[in-house]
C-alpha cells in the first residue's frame, strides 16, 4: 500500500527575488510484506527430527538392517519397557550421581588452579606449563592406571570424570582472566580500587564469558568421560546397561543409552545457555544475522 505523497507549499515570488524553486514531492516507499519465519526452537529441532526421520525410513525400507542398527520404533518401545520396569530411571540416577560428583571435584580443582595461574605470575610459572603438559596425555588412556591406583569400584569412574572436566574449565577461565583489558585495569587502579576490588569488579567479570564457554565444554566432557568410565566393572548406570546389551547384540538398548547420554548433555548445555543470558545481560553480543 502506497502512502500519500508529501507536497511542500511554494513561497510566492516577489519582485527582485529569485523565482521559487520547483515543487518537491517526497513519496513514501511501499510497505513491504513481512516475511514469515519459524520460531528458533522449531528451527533448532529440524536437524534432529530430520535425522530420526531418515533413520526411520532407512529401517522401514530395509536399507538399514536390524542386525546393524535397530529402528527408532524398537528403541522407543525398549525405552517404555525399561522405564516401566524401573531399570532406566535407576541407571540415569546412578550415572547422574557419578557425573555430578566428578564434575564438582574437577570444577573445584580447575577454578583453584586457574585463579592462581591467572592472577599471579608465580602461579602461572608453576601451574600453566604443567597443565599444558598433562593436557597432551589422553585422559581415556589413564583408565588402566586408575584401576591400579583406585581399584574397580566407584573411585576410578569419578576420577576419570573429574579429570575430563578439569582441563576445559582451567584453560577457559585462565584465558578469560588474562584477556582482561589492561587499560580497564589501569583505569580501575587510578580510581582507587585495591587488589580485591580489582579482582571482584574488573577481572572476574571480564573472565566470566570465557568461564561460561569452559563450563559448556566441561559438562559435555563429563558425560563423554562417563561413557568410558562406566565400562569399568560397573554394576549400575547407563554404561552397565550398554555392557549387558553388547553381550546379547541388543542394538536397541545400546542406541537408547546413547540417546539418553545425548539428551542429558543437551539439557546441561541448555541450562548453561540460560545462565549465560542472565549473567551476561550487561554485555552486548552479536547474535547473528536474521
Amino acid at each position: 500500500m502506497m502512502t500519500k505523497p508529501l507536497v511542500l507549499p511554494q513561497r510566492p515570488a516577489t519582485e527582485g527575488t529569485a523565482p521559487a524553486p520547483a515543487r518537491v514531492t517526497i513519496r513514501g516507499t511501499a510497505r513491504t510484506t513481512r516475511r514469515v519465519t519459524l520460531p528458533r526452537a522449531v528451527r533448532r529441532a529440524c536437524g534432529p527430527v530430520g535425522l530420526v526421520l531418515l533413520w526411520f525410513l532407512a529401517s522401514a525400507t530395509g536399507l538399514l538392517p536390524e542386525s546393524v542398527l535397530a529402528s527408532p520404533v524398537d528403541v522407543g518401545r525398549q525405552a517404555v519397557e525399561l522405564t516401566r520396569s524401573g531399570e532406566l530411571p535407576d541407571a540415569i540416577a546412578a550415572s547422574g550421581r557419578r557425573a555430578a560428583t566428578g564434575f564438582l571435584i574437577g570444577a573445584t580443582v580447575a577454578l583453584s588452579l586457574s585463579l592462581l595461574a591467572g592472577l599471579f605470575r608465580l602461579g602461572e610459572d608453576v601451574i600453566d606449563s604443567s597443565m599444558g603438559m598433562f593436557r597432551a596425555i589422553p585422559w581415556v588412556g589413564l583408565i588402566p592406571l586408575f584401576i591400579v591406583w583406585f581399584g574397580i569400584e566407584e573411585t576410578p569412574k569419578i576420577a576419570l570424570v573429574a579429570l575430563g572436566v578439569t582441563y576445559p574449565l582451567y584453560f577457559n577461565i585462565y584465558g578469560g582472566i588474562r584477556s582482561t583489558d589492561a587499560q580497564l585495569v589501569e583505569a580501575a587502579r587510578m580510581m582507587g580500587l585495591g587488589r580485591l576490588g580489582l579482582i571482584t569488579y574488573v577481572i572476574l567479570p571480564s573472565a566470566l564469558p570465557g568461564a561460561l564457554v569452559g563450563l559448556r565444554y566441561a559438562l559435555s566432557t563429563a558425560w563423554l568421560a562417563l561413557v568410558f568410565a562406566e565400562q569399568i566393572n560397573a554394576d549400575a548406570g547407563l554404561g552397565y546397561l550398554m555392557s549387558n546389551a553388547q553381550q546379547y547384540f541388543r542394538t536397541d538398548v545400546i542406541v537408547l543409552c546413547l540417546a539418553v547420554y545425548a539428551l542429558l548433555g543437551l539439557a546441561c548445555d541448555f541450562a548453561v545457555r540460560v545462565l549465560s543470558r542472565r549473567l551476561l545481560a550487561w554485555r552486548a553480543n552479536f547474535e547473528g544475522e536474521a
Side-chain angles (χ1 to χ4, degrees):
M1 178 179 179
M2 298 292 294
T3 58
K4 292 183 178 180
L6 176 62
V7 180
L8 301 180
Q10 288 182 307
R11 179 181 296 178
T14 58
E15 293 184 2
T17 61
R23 186 176 63 178
V24 178
T25 302
I26 303 175
R27 297 184 178 275
T29 57
R31 186 176 299 175
T32 57
T33 58
R34 198 169 183 180
R35 187 172 58 182
V36 179
T37 58
L38 294 174
R40 292 197 67 186
V42 177
R43 286 184 289 173
R44 283 179 177 273
C46 287
V49 171
L51 289 176
V52 173
L53 183 60
L54 289 176
W55 176 20
F56 172 76
L57 292 176
S59 300
T61 56
L63 294 176
L64 190 63
E66 288 191 11
S67 58
V68 176
L69 189 65
S71 69
V73 176
D74 294 334
V75 174
R77 187 182 300 114
Q78 194 62 229
V80 173
E81 293 179 2
L82 292 178
T83 301
R84 288 177 178 174
S85 64
E87 292 182 62
L88 187 59
D90 292 343
I92 294 174
S95 297
R97 285 193 299 269
R98 292 175 183 135
T101 306
F103 177 81
L104 290 176
I105 295 173
T108 302
V109 173
L111 181 61
S112 303
L113 294 178
S114 61
L115 289 177
L116 290 174
L119 298 176
F120 306 103
R121 293 181 182 176
L122 178 60
E124 179 187 12
D125 296 338
V126 174
I127 296 172
D128 189 61
S129 58
S130 300
M131 291 296 291
M133 179 182 63
F134 288 130
R135 182 182 61 171
I137 301 175
W139 45 268
V140 178
L142 295 176
I143 292 178
L145 196 58
F146 282 180
I147 294 175
V148 173
W149 288 348
F150 307 118
I152 57 175
E153 301 300 327
E154 291 296 304
T155 305
K157 303 176 182 61
I158 295 173
L160 192 65
V161 174
L163 187 65
V165 166
T166 300
Y167 295 121
L169 265 180
Y170 167 80
F171 284 105
N172 279 277
I173 297 175
Y174 169 77
I177 292 174
R178 287 306 176 96
S179 64
T180 303
D181 191 351
Q183 295 181 354
L184 189 61
V185 173
E186 188 63 28
R189 284 175 176 164
M190 292 178 62
M191 293 178 62
L193 278 181
R195 175 173 292 182
L196 183 60
L198 185 66
I199 293 173
T200 305
Y201 297 108
V202 178
I203 296 177
L204 291 184
S206 298
L208 186 59
L212 290 172
V213 172
L215 182 61
R216 291 182 65 183
Y217 278 113
L219 286 171
S220 61
T221 306
W223 292 109
L224 176 62
L226 192 65
V227 174
F228 295 98
E230 289 187 333
Q231 307 298 319
I232 308 173
N233 194 37
D235 56 358
L238 294 170
Y240 172 70
L241 289 180
M242 290 179 63
S243 298
N244 286 345
Q246 179 187 2
Q247 296 178 6
Y248 297 100
F249 301 98
R250 296 292 305 274
T251 58
D252 52 352
V253 179
I254 295 175
V255 173
L256 173 62
C257 293
L258 293 175
V260 172
Y261 277 125
L263 291 176
L264 291 173
L266 185 63
C268 292
D269 188 73
F270 176 76
V272 177
R273 283 177 175 269
V274 174
L275 184 64
S276 300
R277 292 194 189 100
R278 292 183 178 274
L279 294 180
L280 301 179
W282 52 271
R283 186 177 179 226
N285 294 325
F286 174 69
E287 296 183 352
E289 298 289 346

